Amino acid sequence: MSTVANGVSDRKFTISRPSGTAPPAEYAKLRKQCPLSQVRLWDDSKMWMVVRTHPGFPELTSGGKAAAAHRATYVDTDAPEHTKQRGMVGPLFDPKNIDSLRPSFQKTVDECLEEMIKGGCQEPVDLVEKFALPVPTQIIYRLMGIPKKDMDFLTSKNAVRTSASGTARDKSAASKDLNEYIS
C-alpha cells in the first residue's frame, strides 16, 4: 500500500488473494491503519472499502467455511485462474462471432417480451425479473449449450448462491448443485 491519509489511499485497488478463500494480506494492514478507506479502481473511479467488521462479528462462519470448501467458480476466482478460465470463453465474444449470434440474441429478447405481453397489461411488470435478468442469463446459457429444460433449475440455484439474504448453508448447497451439474 502506498499511503493512507484521512481514509483516502492513493493506491489503485489491485489486491489479490494468496489463495481462493484466504483474505489478501493487505486487508490486515488496512484494518490497522484505516478500516474505512477510499481506493481507486482500474478506471480511476473511487470506491469505499470497508475492511473491519463489527467487533465480535466472525469473519467466516462455520457455514461460510463449508461454502468456501467447494470448488470456486469463474466469478469467484482471481488471476491467474480467472484469466485462464476467461481465455477459454473469450473467442465466443469476438465481434464476428457476436454478429453471427445476433439473431439468437434477438430471439431471446423477443421471447421475453412475448412472455410479458401474454401476462396482459392489467398489473405492473417487474422489468428486472421478466426482462433484465432473463435476457442475459438465457443468452449465456445458450452460449454454454445448456438445454432450455435446465435453465430454470440453474437460474434458481444461481439466485440462491448470489443472494445477499441467503444463508451460508443454502448458498453452499446451491454451489454444490451447480458444480455437480457442470461436472
Side-chain angles (χ1 to χ4, degrees):
M1 175 132 279
S2 301
T3 60
V4 176
N6 299 323
V8 179
S9 166
D10 67 351
R11 184 180 191 286
K12 286 204 176 219
F13 184 70
T14 56
I15 296 172
S16 61
R17 298 178 190 139
S19 68
T21 58
E26 289 179 276
Y27 284 1
K29 191 181 213 179
L30 282 170
R31 270 194 293 276
K32 289 178 185 170
Q33 292 179 349
C34 192
L36 176 64
S37 58
Q38 195 172 45
V39 295
R40 286 183 296 126
L41 299 176
W42 61 273
D43 64 353
D44 281 332
S45 64
K46 294 179 181 174
M47 76 167 201
W48 286 98
M49 183 166 64
V50 180
V51 291
R52 180 176 175 201
T53 58
H54 186 275
F57 186 82
E59 289 191 23
L60 193 59
T61 64
S62 58
K65 288 178 185 172
H70 294 292
R71 183 176 45 158
T73 62
Y74 173 74
V75 295
D76 299 321
T77 59
D78 293 320
E81 183 61 26
H82 181 85
T83 306
K84 176 182 156 193
Q85 291 182 23
R86 188 183 66 211
M88 291 188 284
V89 297
L92 288 171
F93 298 99
D94 74 21
K96 186 176 181 180
N97 195 50
I98 292 298
D99 280 345
S100 74
L101 295 169
R102 189 175 305 274
S104 172
F105 297 166
Q106 186 64 56
K107 180 180 178 196
T108 301
V109 168
D110 292 345
E111 287 172 356
C112 287
L113 291 173
E114 287 169 15
E115 202 57 38
M116 285 192 296
I117 292 167
K118 280 183 197 173
C121 299
Q122 308 309 315
E123 299 290 325
V125 173
D126 183 338
L127 285 175
V128 171
E129 177 188 336
K130 300 292 185 183
F131 190 78
L133 286 175
V135 168
T137 301
Q138 290 180 29
I139 287 171
I140 290 168
Y141 287 168
R142 284 182 179 167
L143 287 172
M144 293 172 65
I146 293 173
K148 192 164 180 81
K149 67 179 182 61
D150 294 349
M151 289 183 185
D152 287 341
F153 167 78
L154 294 172
T155 300
S156 69
K157 294 297 179 180
N158 191 51
V160 171
R161 185 182 167 281
T162 59
S163 169
S165 61
T167 67
R169 183 168 286 120
D170 291 343
K171 290 177 182 219
S172 177
S175 287
K176 183 175 182 258
D177 291 342
L178 287 168
N179 283 325
E180 286 174 359
Y181 178 89
I182 292 169
S183 297

